[in-house]
């Protein structure tokens, strides 16, 4: 919504009164507010928490919170109102043009929050990310932005619940964060499935039109005067084919055939369909069962939307033009000659870009203590890289002194991909890694009973047990050592739960220092908000000021196998790597197609350093089997499959959606957590 703000002249500490004039006509779906009175304090005004004991549920805390108008959050950051698109009073999109205005500003400090190998319950990365940001901004007076992913509705309604943080360290409005937000994931679903429809339709029409001349006429129909015109996407395909002509009538018969017929191999299709719900019965489906599609039946399937390559592109793109190019490069199939068929070849890349033109803009929200947050993109952390967007980070680093982001899953997956994929494409250099560790997870790695989501923890986890904890410490040691290989300063955050004893958290803290961490801090941000992470924030500030020598783990020009084996040896500590015949064939194909210079996005269980989720601690003496390798050329990586990887989760017997409902008297959402 385009608006104008007129503010009175202010000095520090005095109130600003800003009135929004009548807005221009809003775009469809964006509510129009004719007048808003904005009261704010010049500079940053923290929101005071009202801590309760015992700590209430996440949604209770979120709904009791005092929300700043998003215009105030933006103004405190230095974002102009004409650089925003409002989605109601508490969330907005930030236009990419802001980067042009801020181009000459130096970047702030870049902090990545990661974790040891987690239990199925997670160890609190997001909560730590938010708590650290609240401490930096609301208590240390630093200009800080939290940058995290938008959650999928799969886990929100499945078994894990929401991903806005927890306790007194959350992003709010929590319901908006966990549900539709501004529709980015829906846009990805539409764009992905448009590509699926285009692919199947093209194969059918080519089969039904064996005459190349008639196929060309259908794609470039002449008008009444015999004139033809190429669509913009067609001109891009012609350039890729090396045909430097812009008038369809100038193409030779041989060039018309090359242009018109994709000749897709039905066995070479790599593009499926997506939906943002855990629907296990869509993992494998038969399509083309309608009367008009008789003879074109084939197997397909659904992945969850956050596993879409379009989502990965959104997270890794650096701008609108770059996103358009990446969409065009997405490989959807191979033809009968073994060549890649792209979204550009299908003619759908431009339409995808149109569907994604608003989704590319980061979403601005806030934490419980009023510090700003960018929520943008949410790629699957297995077959994609599991990071929020480069664009959000680039904008944030120009606006803030500190940008705190997080990586999906444990450090062997999330941190490695953050460094070797995201930092490589963004050119951004991190100063600090915050390694989250918990007593619970380390006891599990020491041989504790199985941890199962939805079931009570065994007494080994709730009673003091220093011996069990000590046996699990090698997992933390290995993760710290891996982070240090990248030349980044490491601070360990011991995310402390109510059942942890002083002796247990102190054992972790002292051990982390012995393992090479610059500092190790016990943090209680879940129960205490930013004050509980104040010592952690001070340690991060100190670490960010120390020199670092960031470096990548491998060079892109190395062969595919060498890059795979470097990650397996240096990060997982495997003894060696084995390849299936399918993987060997893909390595040969991708090298032939020129995809061998891409970084690698390893698809592996997050519950172990090895490919066996049951193998805890710091395992050794194992080998890694590469089952297959797939290409996300538009996103810009190859993803080797290490063991079985599900791209569509399933619902448990008792999903969390049972608890989600609407209070019809108040209109509030209940049951999210």
């Amino acid at each position: 919504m385009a608006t104008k703000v007129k503010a009175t002249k202010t000095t520090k500490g005095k109130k600003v009164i800003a009135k929004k004039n009548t807005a221009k006509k809003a775009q469809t779906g964006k509510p129009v507010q004719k007048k808003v009175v904005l009261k704010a304090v010049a500079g940053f005004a923290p929101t005071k928490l009202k801590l309760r004991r015992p700590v209430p549920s996440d949604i209770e805390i979120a709904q009791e919170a005092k929300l700043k108008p998003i215009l105030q959050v933006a103004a405190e950051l230095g974002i102009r109102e004409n650089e925003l698109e409002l989605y109601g009073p508490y969330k907005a999109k930030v236009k990419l043009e802001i980067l042009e205005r801020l181009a000459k500003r130096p970047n702030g400090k870049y902090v990545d929050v990661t974790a040891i190998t987690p239990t199925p319950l997670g160890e609190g990365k997001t909560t730590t990310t938010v708590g650290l940001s609240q401490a930096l901004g609301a208590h240390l007076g630093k200009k800080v932005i939290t940058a995290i992913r938008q959650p999928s509705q799969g886990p929100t309604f499945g078994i894990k619940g929401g991903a806005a943080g927890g306790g007194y360290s959350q992003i709010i409005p929590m319901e908006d964060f966990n549900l539709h937000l501004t529709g980015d994931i829906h846009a990805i679903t539409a764009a992905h499935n448009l590509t699926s429809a285009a692919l199947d339709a093209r194969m059918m029409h080519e089969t039904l039109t064996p005459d190349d001349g008639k196929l060309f006429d259908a794609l470039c129909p002449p008008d009444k005067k015999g004139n033809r015109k190429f669509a913009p996407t067609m001109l891009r395909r012609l350039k890729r084919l090396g045909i430097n002509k812009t008038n369809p009538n100038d193409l030779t018969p041989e060039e018309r055939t090359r242009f018109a017929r994709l000749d897709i191999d039905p066995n070479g299709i790599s593009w499926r369909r997506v939906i943002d719900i855990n629907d296990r019965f869509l993992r494998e489906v038969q399509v083309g069962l309608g009367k008009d599609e008789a003879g074109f039946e084939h197997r397909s399937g659904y992945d969850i939307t956050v596993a879409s390559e379009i989502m990965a592109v959104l997270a890794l793109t650096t701008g609108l033009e770059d996103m358009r190019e990446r969409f065009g490069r997405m490989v959807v199939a191979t033809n009968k000659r073994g060549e890649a068929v792209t979204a550009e070849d299908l003619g759908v890349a431009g339409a995808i870009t149109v569907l994604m033109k608003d989704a590319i803009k980061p979403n601005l929200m806030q934490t419980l203590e009023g510090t700003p947050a960018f929520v943008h993109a949410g790629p699957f952390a297995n077959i994609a890289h599991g990071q929020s967007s480069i664009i959000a980070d680039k904008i944030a680093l120009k606006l803030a002194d500190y940008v705190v982001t997080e990586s999906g899953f444990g450090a062997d997956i999330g941190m490695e991909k953050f460094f070797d994929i995201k930092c490589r494409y963004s050119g951004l250099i991190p100063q600090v890694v915050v390694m989250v560790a918990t007593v619970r997870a380390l006891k599990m790695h020491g041989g504790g009973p199985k941890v199962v989501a939805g079931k009570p923890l065994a007494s080994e986890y709730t009673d003091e047990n220093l011996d069990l904890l000590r046996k699990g410490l090698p997992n933390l040691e290995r993760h710290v050592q891996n982070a240090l290989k990248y030349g980044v300063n490491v601070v360990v955050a011991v995310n402390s739960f109510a059942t942890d004893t002083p002796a247990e958290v102190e054992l972790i803290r002292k051990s982390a220092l012995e393992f090479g961490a610059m500092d190790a801090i016990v943090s209680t941000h879940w129960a205490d908000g930013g004050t509980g992470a104040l010592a952690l924030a001070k340690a991060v500030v100190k670490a960010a000021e120390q020199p670092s020598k960031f470096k990548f783990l491998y060079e892109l020009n190395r062969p595919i196998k060498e890059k795979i084996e470097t990650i397996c040896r240096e990060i997982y500590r495997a003894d060696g790597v084995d390849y299936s015949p399918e993987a060997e064939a893909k390595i040969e194909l991708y090298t032939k197609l020129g995809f061998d210079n891409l970084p690698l996005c390893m698809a592996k269980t997050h519950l172990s350093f090895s490919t066996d989720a049951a193998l805890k601690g710091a395992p050794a003496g194992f080998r890694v089997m590469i089952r297959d390798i797939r290409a996300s050329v538009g996103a810009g990586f190859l993803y080797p499959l290490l063991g079985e990887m599900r791209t569509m989760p399933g619902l448990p017997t008792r999903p969390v959606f049972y608890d989600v409902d609407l209070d019809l008297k108040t209109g509030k959402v209940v049951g999210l957590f």
Side-chain angles (χ1 to χ4, degrees):
M1 184 193 308
T3 56
K4 295 181 179 179
V5 170
K6 186 176 181 181
T8 60
K9 188 175 180 181
T10 63
T11 57
K12 190 173 182 180
K14 292 185 179 180
K15 288 189 175 180
V16 178
I17 307 297
K19 292 185 178 180
K20 188 196 303 185
N21 297 332
T22 302
K24 295 179 182 178
K25 187 175 181 180
Q27 298 179 22
T28 303
K30 298 178 185 177
V32 177
Q33 296 172 347
K34 292 184 178 179
K35 185 176 181 181
V36 169
V37 178
L38 172 62
K39 294 183 179 181
V41 177
F44 173 71
T47 304
K48 189 174 181 180
L49 290 177
K50 295 180 180 179
L51 301 177
R52 288 169 52 191
R53 296 294 185 268
V55 177
S57 69
D58 291 350
I59 195 166
E60 286 181 85
I61 293 172
Q63 290 179 344
E64 290 173 357
K66 182 180 179 181
L67 282 153
K68 296 179 186 179
I70 202 64
L71 285 171
Q72 178 180 339
V73 176
E76 291 172 350
L77 267 180
I79 300 174
R80 297 171 180 171
E81 191 178 359
N82 63 5
E83 294 168 335
L84 296 174
E85 291 179 0
L86 299 181
Y87 283 72
Y90 302 119
K91 56 185 186 288
K93 280 191 168 293
V94 179
K95 298 177 183 178
L96 305 193
E97 290 81 357
I98 192 172
L99 280 170
E100 297 175 13
R101 178 170 68 85
L102 304 176
K104 294 183 179 180
R105 283 194 189 179
N107 285 345
K109 303 293 186 182
Y110 200 25
V111 180
D112 180 48
V113 178
T114 185
I116 63 173
T117 307
T119 69
L121 305 177
E123 307 319 305
K125 286 195 308 297
T126 305
T127 307
T128 303
T129 300
V130 176
L132 171 59
S133 296
Q134 291 179 164
L136 286 166
H139 300 278
L140 291 185
K142 304 294 184 182
K143 204 170 185 181
V144 63
I145 296 177
T146 311
I148 59 177
R149 292 182 290 169
Q150 179 184 351
S152 163
Q153 289 181 160
T156 297
F157 292 126
I159 195 169
K160 186 178 178 182
Y168 287 101
S169 295
Q170 295 187 56
I171 305 292
I172 52 175
M174 182 255 224
E175 304 96 308
D176 294 11
F177 179 97
N178 283 310
L179 298 174
H180 306 287
L181 196 53
T182 56
D184 295 349
I185 291 181
H186 301 316
I188 292 164
T189 302
H192 185 109
N193 290 337
L194 175 63
T195 308
S196 304
L199 177 59
D200 283 344
R202 183 60 175 267
M203 291 181 66
M204 183 185 76
H205 290 306
E206 284 199 15
T207 302
L208 294 176
T209 314
D211 184 285
D212 293 342
K214 290 182 178 179
L215 182 61
F216 180 79
D217 288 343
L219 292 169
C220 299
D223 62 19
K224 292 181 180 179
K225 295 182 179 180
N227 297 319
R228 306 174 192 259
K229 184 174 69 173
F230 285 127
T233 186
M234 292 176 171
L235 294 172
R236 290 173 180 259
R237 170 164 165 74
L238 286 166
K239 184 177 180 181
R240 181 170 174 245
L241 293 173
I243 301 173
N244 298 313
K245 297 177 181 178
T246 58
N247 187 339
N249 289 328
D250 292 342
L251 267 64
T252 67
E254 187 272 336
E255 288 172 338
R256 292 185 179 196
T257 296
R258 287 181 61 211
F259 163 76
R261 194 162 296 280
L262 299 184
D263 206 20
I264 296 167
D265 181 356
N267 296 318
I269 295 174
S270 56
W271 196 268
R272 290 156 52 96
R273 289 159 168 79
V274 298
I275 188 171
D276 197 42
I277 295 292
N278 288 359
D279 194 342
R280 66 174 74 241
F281 285 92
L282 291 179
R283 287 172 180 164
E284 298 293 331
V285 298
Q286 187 84 354
V287 299
L289 300 181
K291 181 178 65 174
D292 294 339
E293 291 74 43
F296 296 98
E297 306 89 342
H298 63 276
R299 288 178 69 90
S300 184
Y302 278 77
D303 300 327
I304 197 160
T305 298
V306 289
S308 169
E309 185 175 353
I310 293 174
M311 175 64 89
V313 168
L314 177 66
L316 287 171
T317 191
T318 55
L320 196 59
E321 183 177 344
D322 176 71
M323 185 173 74
R324 174 64 180 82
E325 293 295 327
R326 286 174 180 269
F327 285 155
R329 293 198 300 267
M330 293 189 305
V331 175
V332 298
T334 54
N335 63 22
K336 293 175 182 177
R337 297 180 298 280
E339 300 164 336
V341 178
T342 67
E344 199 76 76
D345 295 327
L346 279 179
V348 75
I352 295 172
T353 307
V354 170
L355 287 171
M356 294 293 294
K357 68 180 179 62
D358 291 321
I360 194 175
K361 303 164 190 171
N363 303 295
L364 178 64
M365 298 183 76
Q366 64 190 287
T367 70
L368 285 169
E369 297 193 55
T371 60
F374 279 150
V375 182
H376 198 216
F380 214 57
N382 268 337
I383 67 166
H385 62 299
Q387 318 286 332
S388 58
S389 77
I390 286 174
I391 283 178
D393 289 0
K394 279 182 172 287
I395 296 172
L397 285 164
K398 295 298 183 184
L399 290 167
D401 301 322
Y402 292 86
V403 174
V404 183
T405 188
E406 70 165 295
S407 302
F409 291 155
D412 57 313
I413 299 180
M415 182 193 71
E416 186 271 316
K417 294 176 182 179
F418 174 77
F419 289 151
D420 286 316
I421 299 177
K422 184 177 180 181
C423 291
R424 200 184 293 269
Y425 280 122
S426 69
L428 302 174
I429 303 300
Q431 280 77 38
V432 183
V433 163
V434 175
M435 185 75 64
V436 179
T438 62
V439 170
R440 176 179 68 197
L442 290 172
K443 284 182 176 179
M444 179 193 71
H445 289 298
K450 189 174 183 180
V451 176
V452 181
K455 293 185 178 181
L457 288 170
S459 60
E460 286 88 344
Y461 297 106
T462 55
D463 298 337
E464 183 174 288
N465 191 327
L466 295 176
D467 289 338
L468 188 63
L469 177 61
R470 194 173 286 109
K471 291 176 182 176
L473 286 170
N475 185 271
L476 172 61
E477 180 178 18
R478 182 172 293 181
H479 282 297
V480 171
Q481 290 174 347
N482 285 349
L484 293 174
K485 287 183 179 184
Y486 289 91
V488 179
N489 301 320
V490 179
V491 174
V492 170
V494 185
N495 183 20
S496 184
F497 300 160
T499 55
D500 299 343
T501 69
E504 287 176 329
V505 294
E506 182 61 14
L507 175 59
I508 299 175
R509 197 192 68 79
K510 285 185 176 179
S511 299
L513 296 174
E514 294 172 2
F515 299 154
M518 186 166 285
D519 210 338
I521 306 294
V522 178
S523 190
T524 59
H525 44 275
W526 180 84
D528 301 319
T531 57
L534 192 53
L536 175 62
K538 291 177 179 177
V540 168
V541 169
K542 184 177 179 181
E545 297 300 328
Q546 301 303 309
S548 60
K549 296 180 180 179
F550 177 73
K551 59 183 179 181
F552 298 116
L553 188 67
Y554 55 83
E555 297 298 326
L556 290 183
N557 60 2
R558 308 312 301 159
I560 293 173
K561 280 190 175 182
E562 184 177 322
K563 287 184 282 194
I564 289 173
E565 288 159 16
T566 298
I567 296 171
C568 291
R569 181 181 65 251
E570 297 295 327
I571 302 299
Y572 312 151
R573 312 300 172 87
D575 280 357
V577 180
D578 302 310
Y579 301 87
S580 71
E582 292 81 3
E584 292 279 8
K586 289 291 183 65
I587 290 171
E588 182 179 353
L589 172 64
Y590 294 152
T591 301
K592 173 187 171 185
L593 293 174
F595 303 158
D596 55 319
N597 63 345
L598 295 174
L600 298 181
C601 186
M602 307 291 268
K604 181 185 76 70
T605 178
H606 61 294
L607 298 174
S608 174
F609 273 108
S610 74
T611 55
D612 180 359
L615 202 55
K616 304 300 183 184
F622 64 91
R623 297 183 66 83
V624 169
M625 167 57 75
I626 307 298
R627 180 171 60 85
D628 196 2
I629 304 176
R630 297 176 186 171
S632 289
V633 181
F637 54 72
L638 303 179
Y639 58 100
L641 300 180
L642 288 61
E644 293 294 327
M645 285 291 111
R646 290 197 193 277
T647 53
M648 170 60 80
L651 290 172
T653 304
R654 182 27 172 102
V656 297
F657 65 65
Y658 273 80
D659 302 306
V660 179
D661 213 323
L662 194 67
D663 186 322
L664 299 179
K665 292 182 179 179
T666 65
K668 289 184 176 181
V669 175
V670 297
L672 280 176
F673 69 93

